């Protein structure tokens, strides 16, 4: 199986859950990121590794002319469905490998990716492609996970799994798993600079998540990216149930027993100019 | 001794009986180091990869001892080597290797490093190349950015977060071109080999050492000026289907530093384990290549 096929299969497998659980929860953050990037109505925007529209939908709502790309046909189908439901005729979607964009140079006012390109095994190549297709003077935007210690959902999730499975050792740090390869703001800055961008800003923002139950949170984490699914793929049904129960307890403690539990998660918003 | 500890000891002893080596323990730079030694002839030092042990060289040791004095340590904190009074970083591991060479090699050895062992070997060669005869880097870390395939990354993560039999088996499937072929080829030694290394991978001190050495030595790119200083003949041997450190890294290093590159087909990141016969032929050819007087990497 080729590398591309492997990645495509992995994302296709989680696409239904991603669309249901993750995409809606990403839109508020996307609005904040696009505002910082000064996206305006009528601008041409590219969303790379778009998933089912967590960034693209808010951009199109704001009046930008959006092209969303994702390696997974299943994700693209879901994104197109969302666009149709909202009547967003200014949003188009294509299946495309973000490391080899089939697009002309110097085309977009903004090229952006939220929790997408950060997952690329060859992130510099993905960034380079985003930069290539951005107009001179245009902006490249990356929204990425912040440091693991500042990502509450991760701590809750791993803690619950550890409760159920004592030998679970948690995330490795070197190399960090792909979702955290640019969690250090300085590393993200360096990557943007290496891609040839200037006037680089890396800002920290809060990605606020609400969870009603351990099961919902479990579904969210394991649908967020293939890495999340891989972490717990070997658990038995009993272990999974025990972990979800532990999550329920943690969330109840956070919420005080009423309403959803709110978890705060640090993210980086990196913006550079071509 | 617990039942598990006894089983691990039994597995190790079983593996040792397969090899024409003796084992001794040396105190090297604050590391109580287990060293396998055998054979007579020009000295050759073999360094293994992260989370591994000297036994990862077991399929080539029997042949090498017929022509060389073979020295195979467990890296600091790996196998049964214990870090007793040392901080693990690039400098300390180079010091450790220097003391190993000093205590085991009457003449400058050929140094062969695989994966993490390759990164250590390259740094040592740059700093203390006057103490070496040759350098051979086998699917070595440190020569380029670590950008494994997605499948390798998935398998590695799954194994690291929870080192079960199943996860290890699957991870080996990403490391090797033909895992099942290897298992068949290793015959009766596969079970103790697997049992021993699965136990080591679950041992907290081994995990800590592996992660520390990867952070300090394995993951950082070695600066080009450091590699250019390597004064001895250097050869690259690479598995064509290495999903962890892809062949492109070796090709770039070969082009940049002028090091001959030998590619072994039908091998993942461990050609010495997976295709020992081909690896040995390739290695002997490299070792027999005359020194043309133009050393190291500077073109």
């Amino acid at each position: 199986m080729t590398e591309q096929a492997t990645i495509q299969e992995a994302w296709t497998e989680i696409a239904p859950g991603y669309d249901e659980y993750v995409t809606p929860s990403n839109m508020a953050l996307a609005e904040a990121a696009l505002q910082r990037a000064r996206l305006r109505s009528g601008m041409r925007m590219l969303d790379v590794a778009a998933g089912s529209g967590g960034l693209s939908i808010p951009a199109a709502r704001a009046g930008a002319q959006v092209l969303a790309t994702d390696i997974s046909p299943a994700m693209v189908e879901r994104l197109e469905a969302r666009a149709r439901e909202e009547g967003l005729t200014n949003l188009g979607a294509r299946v495309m490998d973000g490391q080899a964009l089939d697009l002309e140079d110097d085309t977009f006012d903004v090229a952006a990716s939220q929790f997408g390109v950060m997952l690329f095994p060859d992130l510099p190549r993905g960034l380079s492609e985003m930069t290539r297709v951005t107009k001179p003077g245009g902006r490249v935007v990356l929204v990425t996970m912040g440091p693991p210690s500042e990502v509450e959902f991760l701590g809750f999730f791993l803690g619950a799994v550890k409760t159920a499975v004592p030998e679970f050792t948690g995330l490795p740090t070197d190399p960090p798993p792909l979702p955290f390869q640019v969690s250090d703001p300085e590393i993200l800055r360096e990557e943007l600079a290496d891609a040839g961008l200037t006037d680089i800003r890396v800002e920290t923002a809060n990605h606020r998540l609400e969870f009603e139950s351990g099961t919902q949170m479990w579904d969210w984490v394991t649908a967020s990216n293939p890495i999340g699914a891989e972490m717990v793929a070997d658990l038995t049904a009993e272990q999974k149930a025990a972990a979800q129960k532990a999550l329920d307890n943690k969330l109840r403690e956070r919420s005080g027993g009423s309403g959803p539990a709110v978890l705060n998660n640090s993210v980086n918003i990196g913006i550079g100019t071509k | 001794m617990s039942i598990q500890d006894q089983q691990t000891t039994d597995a190790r002893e079983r593996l040792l009986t397969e090899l024409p080596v003796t084992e001794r323990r040396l105190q090297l730079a604050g590391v109580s180091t287990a060293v396998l030694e055998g054979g007579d002839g020009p000295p050759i030092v073999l360094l293994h990869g992260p989370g591994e042990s000297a036994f990862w060289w077991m399929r080539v040791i029997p042949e090498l001892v017929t022509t060389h004095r073979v020295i195979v340590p467990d890296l600091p904190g790996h196998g049964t080597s214990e870090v007793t009074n040392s901080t693990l970083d690039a400098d300390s591991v180079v010091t450790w290797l220097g003391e190993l060479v000093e205590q085991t090699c009457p003449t400058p050895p050929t140094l062969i490093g695989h994966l993490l062992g390759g990164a250590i070997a390259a740094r040592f060669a740059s700093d203390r190349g006057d103490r070496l005869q040759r350098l051979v880097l086998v699917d070595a870390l440190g020569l380029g950015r670590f950008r494994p395939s997605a499948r390798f990354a998935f398998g590695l993560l799954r194994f690291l977060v929870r080192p079960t039999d199943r996860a290890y088996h699957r991870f080996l499937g990403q490391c090797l071109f033909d895992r099942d072929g290897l298992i068949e080829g290793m015959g009766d030694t596969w079970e103790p080999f697997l049992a021993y290394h699965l136990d080591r991978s679950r041992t907290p001190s081994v995990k800590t050492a592996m992660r520390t050495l990867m952070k300090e030595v394995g993951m950082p790119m070695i600066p080009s000026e450091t590699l250019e200083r390597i004064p001895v003949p250097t050869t690259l041997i690479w598995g064509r289907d290495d999903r962890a450190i892809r062949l492109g890294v070796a090709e770039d290093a070969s082009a940049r530093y002028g090091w001959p590159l030998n590619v072994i087909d039908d091998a993942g990141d461990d050609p010495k384990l997976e295709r020992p016969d081909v690896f040995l032929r390739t290695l002997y050819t490299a070792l027999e290549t005359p020194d043309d007087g133009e050393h190291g990497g500077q073109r």
Side-chain angles (χ1 to χ4, degrees):
Chain A
M1 184 183 293
T2 66
E3 177 79 347
Q4 185 181 40
T6 298
I7 296 171
Q8 191 173 74
E9 179 182 300
W11 281 104
T12 295
E13 188 168 324
I14 66 171
Y18 189 95
D19 185 52
E20 180 177 358
Y21 300 111
V22 180
T23 295
S25 68
N26 283 352
M27 290 191 183
L29 176 64
E31 290 169 358
L34 295 173
Q35 186 175 35
R36 297 187 196 201
R38 299 197 293 274
L39 182 74
R40 300 287 184 266
S41 177
M43 282 186 171
R44 293 195 67 186
M45 186 185 115
L46 172 69
D47 181 3
V48 180
S52 62
L55 183 65
S56 300
I57 297 292
R61 289 172 181 165
Q65 295 292 324
V66 181
L67 174 62
T69 68
D70 197 277
I71 198 169
S72 165
M75 288 289 194
V76 170
E77 289 169 9
R78 282 166 173 75
L79 194 155
E80 289 176 320
R82 284 182 175 273
R84 285 196 300 273
E85 288 168 9
E86 294 201 24
L88 297 170
T89 57
N90 53 325
L91 171 53
R94 290 172 57 185
V95 176
M96 206 173 291
D97 182 348
Q99 296 188 153
L101 294 171
D102 184 19
L103 298 168
E104 297 290 330
D105 295 358
D106 305 330
T107 303
F108 296 92
D109 298 298
V110 175
S113 179
Q114 175 170 277
F115 304 139
V117 171
M118 74 172 192
L119 292 165
F120 285 14
D122 193 349
L123 182 145
R125 185 171 171 188
L127 255 182
S128 176
E129 280 291 277
M130 293 174 73
T131 303
R132 176 180 69 79
V133 302
T134 300
K135 292 177 182 176
R139 295 181 187 86
V140 172
V141 183
L142 272 197
V143 182
T144 73
M145 298 300 301
S149 61
E150 299 173 23
V151 175
E152 286 195 316
F153 83 80
L154 185 66
F156 271 53
F157 186 81
L158 296 180
V161 176
K162 184 83 172 177
T163 299
V165 187
E167 67 267 29
F168 189 84
T169 64
L171 292 181
T173 54
D174 282 284
L178 293 175
F180 297 99
Q181 63 174 319
V182 284
S183 63
D184 181 336
E186 280 308 307
I187 293 178
L188 176 55
R189 179 183 300 276
E190 290 168 10
E191 295 286 358
L192 292 167
D194 288 346
L197 299 167
T198 62
D199 298 327
I200 294 165
R201 292 179 286 136
V202 177
E203 301 174 7
T204 299
N206 181 40
H207 183 201
R208 176 189 164 103
L209 296 171
E210 295 184 0
F211 296 106
E212 298 281 354
S213 70
T215 299
Q216 182 199 4
M217 184 172 176
W218 186 275
D219 290 339
W220 188 95
V221 172
T222 56
S224 62
N225 60 68
I227 303 291
E230 285 290 329
M231 282 197 299
V232 293
D234 280 345
L235 267 58
T236 66
E238 292 76 17
Q239 290 170 331
K240 178 179 172 182
Q244 290 179 357
K245 183 173 182 180
L247 270 180
D248 276 330
N249 293 336
K250 289 177 179 288
L251 293 173
R252 190 177 306 113
E253 183 178 349
R254 172 58 64 94
S255 69
S258 63
V262 174
L263 302 185
N264 297 301
N265 310 281
S266 176
V267 303
N268 301 320
I269 302 176
I271 304 171
T273 302
K274 180 175 178 179
Chain B
M1 182 181 288
S2 70
I3 292 176
Q4 179 62 55
D5 288 344
Q6 184 61 56
Q7 289 172 342
T8 301
T9 300
D10 291 347
R12 182 177 174 86
E13 289 177 351
R14 171 75 174 86
L15 295 173
L16 275 171
T17 64
E18 294 291 322
L19 297 173
V21 298
T22 58
E23 181 182 17
R24 62 167 168 156
R25 187 162 290 275
L26 300 176
Q27 301 301 321
L28 307 170
V31 179
S32 175
T33 305
V35 183
L36 306 184
E37 296 172 279
D40 290 296
I44 195 164
V45 175
L46 309 176
L47 303 181
H48 61 76
E52 299 177 352
S53 78
F55 293 115
W56 282 74
W57 288 95
M58 69 181 298
R59 301 196 85 195
V60 297
I61 289 172
E63 178 65 30
L64 287 173
V65 297
T66 66
T67 55
H68 291 79
R69 176 70 177 174
V70 177
I71 300 104
V72 200
D74 286 340
L75 292 181
H78 287 65
T80 56
S81 290
E82 298 172 355
V83 181
T84 55
N85 184 28
S86 178
T87 300
L88 290 182
D89 57 26
D91 288 341
S92 68
V93 78
V94 166
T95 299
W96 168 85
L97 182 53
E99 292 189 14
L100 174 76
V101 169
E102 182 180 353
Q103 294 191 33
T104 62
C105 304
T107 59
T110 291
L111 179 60
I112 306 178
H114 176 232
L115 293 172
L116 172 63
I120 296 169
R123 289 176 181 270
F124 183 85
S126 177
D127 284 2
R128 310 186 191 189
D130 59 316
R131 303 170 76 177
L132 296 180
Q133 179 69 30
R134 283 182 185 267
L135 174 68
V136 179
L137 301 175
V138 183
D139 294 81
L141 285 163
L143 304 183
R145 286 192 174 188
F146 182 65
R147 299 198 185 283
S149 75
R151 293 184 73 186
F152 185 95
F154 292 163
L156 174 61
L157 176 68
R158 187 186 290 213
F159 174 64
L160 288 177
V161 300
R162 188 173 174 224
T164 63
D165 293 38
R166 180 181 174 191
Y168 194 59
H169 196 66
R170 290 181 62 157
F171 178 50
L172 287 178
Q174 295 306 314
C175 298
L176 303 166
F177 178 81
D178 182 5
R179 174 194 57 207
D180 294 338
L182 172 67
I183 294 172
E184 183 177 354
M186 289 188 68
D188 292 342
T189 60
W190 173 251
E191 279 191 23
F193 181 88
L194 178 64
Y196 180 69
H197 291 105
L198 192 54
D199 175 80
R200 295 290 83 193
S201 70
R202 291 167 168 160
T203 302
S205 62
V206 175
K207 287 192 288 188
T208 298
M210 186 269 289
R211 291 189 178 193
T212 301
L213 283 176
M214 284 295 286
K215 176 181 179 182
E216 299 291 330
V217 183
M219 297 306 300
M221 283 182 61
I222 302 172
S224 58
E225 56 267 29
T226 300
L227 296 173
E228 285 166 356
R229 286 201 305 265
I230 294 175
V232 294
T234 300
T235 298
L236 301 166
I237 301 178
W238 226 263
R240 185 177 296 283
D241 296 285
D242 189 341
R243 299 188 187 93
I245 312 162
R246 309 204 217 197
L247 180 58
V249 169
E251 291 169 336
D252 290 345
S254 179
R256 180 163 191 169
Y257 305 112
W259 301 336
L261 168 61
N262 300 276
V263 181
I264 295 181
D265 290 322
D266 300 333
D269 71 17
D270 200 336
K272 62 173 168 51
L273 193 70
E274 196 156 19
R275 301 203 66 197
D277 292 345
V278 178
F279 178 86
L280 284 163
R281 287 199 299 272
T282 304
L283 178 61
Y284 277 122
T285 298
L287 296 179
E288 291 163 3
T289 301
D291 177 3
D292 62 5
E294 293 184 12
H295 298 295
Q298 192 66 52
R299 302 199 85 177

